[in-house]
């Protein structure tokens, strides 16, 4: 079959496609039957069989085009998803045929080249011509299938299909067949319009519309597309002129009237009052037939009028039909009248008769209104459902705002926040829409949650996917660094190489942060918080070195609370590190001021064990410096330990150990009143606590109250087990007090009774004291 013959046949089919349009199910079934007839699922190599497959697919494709046009004329409806299924069923075998024929041509060319043959002769050969004709037939149908399929899609996939269709139409635009060239110009112009290239679309569509050799239907289709282009790109006066000429055109009347009215209403926005009123009246008149006709176009007409109304709230009671109510709500959203928008949408939902697509749209717009009103929980639920029910960009936006609603609830409720639901919202968003323009926020928040739960390996994976926003990228990189530090702490002391790597990353982050701050004159709280964390982490990194520069650490943390007043969650860690620096530098007075203010927070944040260890380290450091000749160092250091133990005792009053140590520190630092009261308090819980009895005996004797001291030592001796060192100590102290009071006989008698047990005393110093007292009292 010659090229012109097949072309005339398919154009005849196209002319009769509308009249004989079948159902979408029939089209899908026919396309699948063709593919199932192929051996191995691949296009047949036999030329006749391949031609038959193309013919059968071509008939189905033309029916698909007719149904798609009808769908557009009717203003949309429930058939949208079915048409998308038909596109997929048709495009797969047509794509396969086009690829197979193109591959055959390429193999023929390569063979001639390899044999150093005559390419011109090949191009003129019947076999090459037949293969080219079959490929052209498949491409012809495929161009239109791609174009109408793209109209059922959104986003990147839609753009890719339109570009392919436009390229395919372009291959026929230079054809020597005038009829094919004219139709391809129409297809290319329609693709350019959908891709937003108004200049290219206008050039092709005008060429079709102004060519008297084109059939009336094709010229009308081109003019309708031109009208659409003018309205889309704000060329409203040209749109009014063209639509007025098209008014009443068969098969396009509803769309023409709608676009005509919209162009009039747009012109009215900037017209004088008198002119605007005339334009609005003309628009209402153009829409009246649509409103009378009912259905989708009636709702669209009402929605259009409402979107240009000056007082939408007043018209809310007059609106009929769910689509018009949704359009009204969208307008109310633009005017920031969220309360009224919610009311309108809730009323629209009570009918229960909305199509799935309209219900999804209603929930989406309702979720937006509730989100803007701060009704986070209600917004989250409606946006969740909308994300499930909608497709394309709207679904991605709904999933994003669903996550943001939970983010706000988590921020507001803090300890009471439902973090499990928050995490589900994040994952639902980033797993389904990882390429969405705000996906980096979701990955960052997921990393944060995992980091808080100490799931650092998983958090690192989430942080690694944060890109596209400089600020969030820096924050994610810092979060990843924190996770690495946590993992290192769990695995033991970091190596010198690891510390060097961490230091390098800290330097990179510091420079990146400075760059962000320079780009934003008014430093946001987020950047301030990141700077605070970097400052702390740099100081911590310095403390991990083999020989830390404690002076540098102290200087880095100076006035931290004033510089980063809003980062209170870091203050405990800052002051613990600050105390360690003061400990190593011997700045005990500065350390006492820190401990007096922050001891409670340190105990709460780091626990009893670490706080006790820190207090003990101060006591040891003070003793060491005193032994090195630094007067008063031990008392200053013990005052730091005293503040820490005050917080420990307050946090756990049931631990006598804390209060006993605290009492001893009060005693050592000269606060005898508090020390005595605390010792007595400890004895009310444990009357036989030897350390408390010994301390109280010593304090009583220091005051000159020997009788009180004797009573404490008697309790001490009774509480100790005979034969143990404390028992010997108690007996010694009682004998000493008797001797001091002048009752040498009683002292000697006590020592005589004690002498037979002396071989069991292992304490050399106490044995010497007993021997010396015996010589004094019993000589």
């Amino acid at each position: 079959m010659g090229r012109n013959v097949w072309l005339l046949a398919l154009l005849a089919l196209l002319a009769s496609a509308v009249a004989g349009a079948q159902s979408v199910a029939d089209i899908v079934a026919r396309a699948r039957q063709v593919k199932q007839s192929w051996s191995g699922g691949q296009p047949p190599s036999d030329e006749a069989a391949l031609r038959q497959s193309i013919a059968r697919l071509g008939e189905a494709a033309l029916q698909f085009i007719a149904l798609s046009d009808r769908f557009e004329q009717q203003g949309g409806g429930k058939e949208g998803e079915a048409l998308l299924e038909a596109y997929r069923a048709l495009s797969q075998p047509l794509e396969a045929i086009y690829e197979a024929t193109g591959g055959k041509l390429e193999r023929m060319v390569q063979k001639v080249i390899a044999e150093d043959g005559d390419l011109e002769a090949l191009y003129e050969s019947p076999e090459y011509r037949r293969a080219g004709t079959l490929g052209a037939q498949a491409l012809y149908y495929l161009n239109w299938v791609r174009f109408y399929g793209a109209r059922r899609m959104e986003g990147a996939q839609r753009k890719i299909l339109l570009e392919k269709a436009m390229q395919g139409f372009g291959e026929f635009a230079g054809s020597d067949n005038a009829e094919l060239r004219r139709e391809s110009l129409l297809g290319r112009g329609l693709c350019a319009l959908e891709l937003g290239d108004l200049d290219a679309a206008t050039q092709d569509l005008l060429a079709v519309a102004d060519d008297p050799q084109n059939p009336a239907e094709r010229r009308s289709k081109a003019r309708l597309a031109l009208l659409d282009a003018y309205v889309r790109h704000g060329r409203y006066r040209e749109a009014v002129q063209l639509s007025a000429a098209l008014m009443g055109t068969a098969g396009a009347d509803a769309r023409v009237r709608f676009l005509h009215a919209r162009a009039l209403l747009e012109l009215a926005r900037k017209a004088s009052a008198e002119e605007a009123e005339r334009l609005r009246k003309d628009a209402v008149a153009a829409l009246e037939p649509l409103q009378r006709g009912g259905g989708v176009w009636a709702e669209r007409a009402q929605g259009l009028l409402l979107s240009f109304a000056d007082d939408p709230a007043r018209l809310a009671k007059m609106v009929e039909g769910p689509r018009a109510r949704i359009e009204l709500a969208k307008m109310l959203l633009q005017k920031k009248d969220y309360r009224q928008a919610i009311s309108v949408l809730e009323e629209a939902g009570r009918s229960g008769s909305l199509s799935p697509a309209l219900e999804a749209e209603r929930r989406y717009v309702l979720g937006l209104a509730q989100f803007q009103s701060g009704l986070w929980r209600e917004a989250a639920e409606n946006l969740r459902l909308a994300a499930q029910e909608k497709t394309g960009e709207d679904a991605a936006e709904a999933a994003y705002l669903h996550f943001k609603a939970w983010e706000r609830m988590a921020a507001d409720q803090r300890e009471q926040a439902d973090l499990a639901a928050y995490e589900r919202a994040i994952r639902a968003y980033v797993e389904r829409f990882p390429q969405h323009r705000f996906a980096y926020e979701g990955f960052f928040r997921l990393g944060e949650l995992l980091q808080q739960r100490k799931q650092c390996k998983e958090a690192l994976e989430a942080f690694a996917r944060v890109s596209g926003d400089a600020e969030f990228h820096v924050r994610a990189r810092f979060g990843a660094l924190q996770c690495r530090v946590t993992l290192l702490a769990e695995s033991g002391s970091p190596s010198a190489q690891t510390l060097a790597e961490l230091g390098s990353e800290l330097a990179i982050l510091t420079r990146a942060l400075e760059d962000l701050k320079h780009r934003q004159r008014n430093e946001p709280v987020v950047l301030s918080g990141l700077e605070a964390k970097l400052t702390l982490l740099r100081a911590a990194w310095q403390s991990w070195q083999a020989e830390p520069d404690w002076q540098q650490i102290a200087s880095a943390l100076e006035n931290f609370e004033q510089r980063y007043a809003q980062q209170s969650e870091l203050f405990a860690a800052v002051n613990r590190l600050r105390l360690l620096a003061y400990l190593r530098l011997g700045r005990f007075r500065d350390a006492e001021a820190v401990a007096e203010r922050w001891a409670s927070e340190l105990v709460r944040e780091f626990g009893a064990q670490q706080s006790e260890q820190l207090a003990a380290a101060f006591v040891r450091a003070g003793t060491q410096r005193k032994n090195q000749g630094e007067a008063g160092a031990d008392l200053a250091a013990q005052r730091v330990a005293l503040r820490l133990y005050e917080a420990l005792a307050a946090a756990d009053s049931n631990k006598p150990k804390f209060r006993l140590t605290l009492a001893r520190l009060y005693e050592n630092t000269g606060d005898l009143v508090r020390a005595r009261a605390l010792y007595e308090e400890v004895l009310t819980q444990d009357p036989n606590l030897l350390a408390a009895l010994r301390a109280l005996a010593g304090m009583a004797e220091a005051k000159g109250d020997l009788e009180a001291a004797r009573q404490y030592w008697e309790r001490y001796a009774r509480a100790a087990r005979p034969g143990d060192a404390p028992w010997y100590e108690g007996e010694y102290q009682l004998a000493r007090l008797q001797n001091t009071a002048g009752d040498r006989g009683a002292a000697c008698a006590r020592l005589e009774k004690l002498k037979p047990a002396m071989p069991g005393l292992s304490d050399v110093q106490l044995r010497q004291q007993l021997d010396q007292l015996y010589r004094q009292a019993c000589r």
Side-chain angles (χ1 to χ4, degrees), residues 42 134 270 300 310 339 427 435 514 551 624 637:
Q42 296 299 316
L134 290 172
K270 296 182 179 180
R300 287 190 173 183
D310 295 329
R339 182 188 60 79
R427 290 188 182 277
Q435 302 304 319
E514 286 301 315
Q551 183 56 54
Q624 183 180 9

Side-chain angles (χ1 to χ4, degrees), residues 38 61 127 218 303 305 324 339 390 472 524 537 540 546 551 651 656 692 707 719 733 735 761:
W38 295 350
E127 184 182 6
R218 187 182 299 157
L305 289 173
R339 182 188 60 79
K390 293 183 75 65
F472 272 88
L537 193 51
Q551 183 56 54
E707 176 57 25
Q733 294 292 353
L761 179 60

Side-chain angles (χ1 to χ4, degrees), residues 482-685:
Q482 288 179 306
C483 278
R484 288 181 59 196
V485 169
T486 300
L487 291 172
L488 285 171
E490 293 172 355
S491 63
S493 300
S495 65
Q497 179 180 349
T498 300
L499 283 175
E501 291 172 356
L502 291 177
S504 176
E505 182 68 3
L506 279 167
I508 291 171
L509 281 171
T510 300
R511 289 193 297 272
L513 179 60
E514 286 301 315
D515 181 56
L516 279 178
K517 288 170 63 178
H518 286 314
R519 279 192 273 166
Q520 300 186 26
R521 292 184 179 180
N522 298 321
E523 180 184 340
V525 173
V526 169
L527 293 188
S528 176
L530 188 55
E531 184 179 41
K533 291 175 183 177
L534 275 172
T535 300
L536 174 58
L537 193 51
R538 280 197 302 267
W541 174 80
Q542 178 60 237
S543 74
W544 300 331
Q545 305 301 311
E547 295 183 3
D549 187 338
W550 294 106
Q551 183 56 54
Q552 184 185 96
I553 293 171
S555 298
L557 300 179
E558 189 173 354
N559 298 323
F560 187 96
E561 293 85 349
Q562 289 73 40
R563 285 185 288 156
Y564 308 110
Q566 293 179 309
Q567 310 305 318
S568 58
E569 73 278 6
L570 304 178
F571 291 170
V574 165
N575 281 286
R576 185 176 185 279
L577 195 53
R578 186 180 276 154
L579 281 178
L580 288 173
Y582 290 162
L583 171 68
R584 300 303 192 278
L585 296 171
R587 292 170 56 178
F588 300 137
R589 293 188 185 278
D590 292 333
E592 183 184 3
V594 171
E596 186 171 5
R597 167 63 183 85
W598 295 101
S600 297
E601 284 82 352
L602 291 174
V603 170
R604 184 166 54 252
E605 184 73 20
F606 297 102
Q609 183 178 1
Q610 289 194 40
S611 300
E612 273 197 285
Q613 291 173 351
L614 185 58
F618 269 98
V619 172
R620 289 194 301 272
T623 302
Q624 183 180 9
R625 285 181 176 268
K626 178 188 175 184
N627 293 338
Q628 293 171 352
E630 188 174 329
D634 59 332
L635 288 177
Q638 286 193 67
R639 280 195 292 270
V640 179
L642 171 64
R643 301 308 173 203
L644 291 169
Y645 266 100
E646 284 177 333
L648 283 166
D652 192 348
S653 59
N654 293 321
K655 278 197 175 181
K657 180 182 74 169
F658 291 157
R659 286 179 294 149
L660 186 64
T661 304
L662 180 58
R664 185 179 301 118
L665 288 168
Y666 279 135
E667 182 182 358
N668 293 346
T669 55
D671 194 342
L672 300 181
V673 174
R674 285 189 179 180
R676 187 179 300 107
L678 201 50
Y679 281 132
E680 291 287 2
E681 182 185 330
V682 170
L683 286 176
T684 59
Q685 291 184 337

Side-chain angles (χ1 to χ4, degrees), residues 352-404:
S353 59
L354 277 67
S355 68
L358 269 183
E359 175 61 11
E361 182 71 5
R362 186 190 73 85
R363 286 193 178 278
Y364 177 52
V365 180
L366 179 56
L368 292 179
Q370 291 167 332
F371 186 91
Q372 294 293 344
S373 300
L375 301 172
W376 309 123
R377 190 167 297 278
E378 295 86 342
E381 179 59 14
N382 279 304
L383 290 166
R384 179 185 68 82
L385 293 170
Q388 292 175 354
E389 296 161 359
K390 293 183 75 65
T391 58
E393 188 64 23
D394 281 352
E397 289 293 314
Y400 169 69
L401 290 174
H402 172 230
F403 137 59
K404 294 296 285 184

